Amino acid sequence: MNSTAETTLTPPHTNTPEMGELSPYQAGPVLTQAMLASNGVALEWQDGLQTTLPLLWLRDHCACQSCRHPQTRERLYLPLEPITEPPNVALLDGHLHLQWQDGHVSAFHSGWLYQRRPEAELTSAVPNAKPWVDNFTPEHISHSDFLTPQGEKAWLTAMLRDGLALITDGPLAEEEVSRLAERIGPLRATNFGARFDVRSKPNPNNAAYTAVGLPLHIDLPNWRQPPDIQLLYCLQNGASGGESLFADGARVVEALRQVSPEALAILSETPIDFRFQDETHDISMRAPVITLDSAGNLVEMRLNNWIRDALHLPVEQMDAWYSAYALLWKLFHSEAHQLEFTLLPGQMVAFDNRRVLHGRREFDPNSGARHLQGTYLDRDMLASRLRVLARHV
């Protein structure tokens, strides 16, 4: 049967539909028409936009307390059987109500349906990655601003868009990097711990714990899932040298594509081995230096020359691989693609470890103290935090 706005439904008291509180995600025009169609329920909003939603989709998305857990809001209904009998359809105060043949009642907020109609463009508070341009300058957010919802939102947006952002004017306090990170999510622990100190020390098990210069690299390409986001908080930097270096993998991959698509194909299609070994760990992974998605966009870089393991390839492929690798290395280390600055005490730099390569100039440990504290976060936690902030800011 076809029903329009004049139809009145009387749902059972034991199964009153729940639309929940209104949220920014439910903003939109109200429905002016709803009626059964051959392929579902045809809807029209007051702005003239129309759509048709299948019956099984509507039943699957019922938000009542028997279809969604009342506390967690997780789905309880399982859409295994087709809907063979159409429901009664009504508009109540501009919102869609359906009474199914088994007596179940579903209610849908007009704005919620408007934003989820198949023709609508999906929107997200999380920005797409944007390759650096010439003279790129990373976002700087003061420590005091970061502690506000607006400042944290600006910093997270810059991080997820650019892959690099700074916090400035912070306290010179041990573990401040952990406190800032934990506002966003749990620390990502590795074989170096959940929080680590970067300074020259005797008997190092990593080049970062020496005073030598570090060419551009990502951390831990020998892991199946390298850490997503690295945070480095500067507590002391009185040593001569030690300038920080960064380069955007998304920008360099596009440069490589222009210079030599053949080299890009070799580096993105040829898995090689990465391995870290010390007294207590032996962690290895085989993967390409560059991973691209189906559209050719960068997914991740695994460029780290000092823990690249023995090159295990057919002999006839080795020369071509080395040639492609050398070209990529030169592009990353060219002045056109490098960003260099001195990290000051009270500053924290954060970067997408699987996109933005980092390094440092050599420093003289006898000329002054240099001490950074670092940790890692999962990118999912940054995106989650940004979505939560976007509800209110």
Side-chain angles (χ1 to χ4, degrees):
M1 124 184 163
N2 289 348
S3 304
T4 54
E6 68 270 17
T7 305
T8 301
L9 298 182
T10 306
H13 293 296
T14 58
N15 203 21
T16 302
E18 299 285 345
M19 288 190 290
E21 295 183 7
L22 300 185
S23 75
Y25 302 104
Q26 293 174 322
V30 298
L31 285 163
T32 57
Q33 184 171 323
M35 56 194 314
L36 285 172
S38 60
N39 55 343
V41 177
L43 304 173
E44 183 172 342
W45 285 267
Q46 63 185 163
D47 63 357
L49 287 180
Q50 301 176 347
T51 196
T52 299
L53 294 172
L55 296 180
L56 188 57
W57 188 95
L58 288 162
R59 183 65 187 85
D60 182 37
H61 288 82
C62 179
C64 77
Q65 292 192 11
S66 64
C67 294
R68 295 270 177 170
H69 191 280
Q71 279 80 46
T72 70
R73 307 305 301 150
E74 293 171 312
R75 180 183 279 107
L76 302 175
Y77 177 77
L78 188 61
L80 297 181
E81 299 296 331
I83 303 295
T84 57
E85 295 292 332
N88 292 329
V89 181
L91 288 182
L92 303 178
D93 298 323
H95 306 297
L96 178 66
H97 286 240
L98 303 175
Q99 185 163 11
W100 304 92
Q101 293 303 309
D102 61 0
H104 189 88
V105 175
S106 301
F108 300 91
H109 189 278
S110 61
W112 189 91
L113 290 170
Y114 187 84
Q115 293 187 2
R116 287 160 180 80
R117 67 193 193 280
E119 302 82 5
E121 288 189 16
L122 295 177
T123 59
S124 173
V126 179
N128 293 325
K130 183 178 179 181
W132 296 358
V133 296
D134 292 343
N135 303 313
F136 166 77
T137 301
E139 193 85 22
H140 288 61
I141 303 292
S142 72
H143 184 274
S144 58
D145 284 345
F146 178 80
L147 298 181
T148 68
Q150 295 85 352
E152 187 179 356
K153 181 183 176 185
W155 184 87
L156 289 166
T157 300
M159 267 300 309
L160 292 166
R161 180 192 65 223
D162 303 329
L164 177 70
L166 280 85
I167 292 175
T168 63
D169 304 312
L172 302 183
E174 293 269 346
E175 301 295 344
E176 185 63 17
V177 68
S178 301
R179 285 185 283 272
L180 293 177
E182 287 169 347
R183 289 176 60 89
I184 299 167
L187 309 185
R188 159 78 188 275
T190 73
N191 53 298
F192 295 101
R195 200 273 300 148
F196 50 88
D197 291 276
V198 181
R199 55 187 167 191
S200 181
K201 62 183 182 181
N203 301 316
N205 64 346
N206 186 280
Y209 303 146
T210 71
V212 302
L214 303 178
L216 291 168
H217 63 284
I218 79 151
D219 279 8
L220 310 183
N222 55 299
W223 282 65
R224 185 175 302 277
Q225 172 80 22
D228 292 328
I229 307 297
Q230 182 170 175
L231 297 83
L232 288 173
Y233 196 101
C234 182
L235 295 171
Q236 295 175 293
N237 198 3
S240 175
E243 295 83 2
S244 297
L245 305 172
F246 298 94
D248 181 18
R251 175 180 168 97
V252 172
V253 162
E254 289 309 306
L256 182 62
R257 194 190 313 273
Q258 297 299 317
V259 172
S260 176
E262 297 82 7
L264 178 59
I266 290 171
L267 294 175
S268 62
E269 296 171 6
T270 309
I272 65 167
D273 295 293
F274 301 91
R275 189 174 186 181
F276 171 87
Q277 302 173 78
D278 64 8
E279 294 295 327
T280 56
H281 297 93
D282 191 337
I283 307 171
S284 65
M285 178 64 186
R286 185 171 176 85
V289 171
I290 300 170
T291 298
L292 305 174
D293 64 17
S294 59
N297 300 312
L298 179 67
V299 174
E300 68 175 10
M301 299 291 311
R302 288 183 187 255
L303 185 63
N304 185 319
N305 196 56
W306 54 84
I307 60 171
R308 180 169 55 82
D309 204 4
L311 188 64
H312 187 73
L313 292 176
V315 172
E316 61 272 16
Q317 295 181 20
M318 288 185 179
D319 285 346
W321 187 91
Y322 277 117
S323 178
Y325 185 75
L327 179 55
L328 179 67
W329 186 270
K330 291 173 184 176
L331 286 172
F332 263 114
H333 290 83
S334 68
E335 290 187 7
H337 295 132
Q338 280 198 38
L339 177 66
E340 178 176 340
F341 57 85
T342 298
L343 195 62
L344 302 176
Q347 290 186 339
M348 185 185 81
V349 63
F351 49 92
D352 186 333
N353 178 60
R354 297 169 67 189
R355 168 188 167 183
V356 173
L357 274 65
H358 66 286
R360 68 156 188 251
R361 303 291 185 197
E362 182 180 4
F363 68 93
D364 180 1
N366 298 315
S367 62
R370 189 177 194 276
H371 182 198
L372 280 63
Q373 289 189 323
T375 190
Y376 300 110
L377 284 171
D378 288 326
R379 181 186 176 89
D380 289 342
M381 291 293 96
L382 274 72
S384 169
R385 181 64 176 160
L386 183 55
R387 292 188 192 101
V388 170
L389 290 170
R391 298 175 191 170
H392 311 291
V393 180

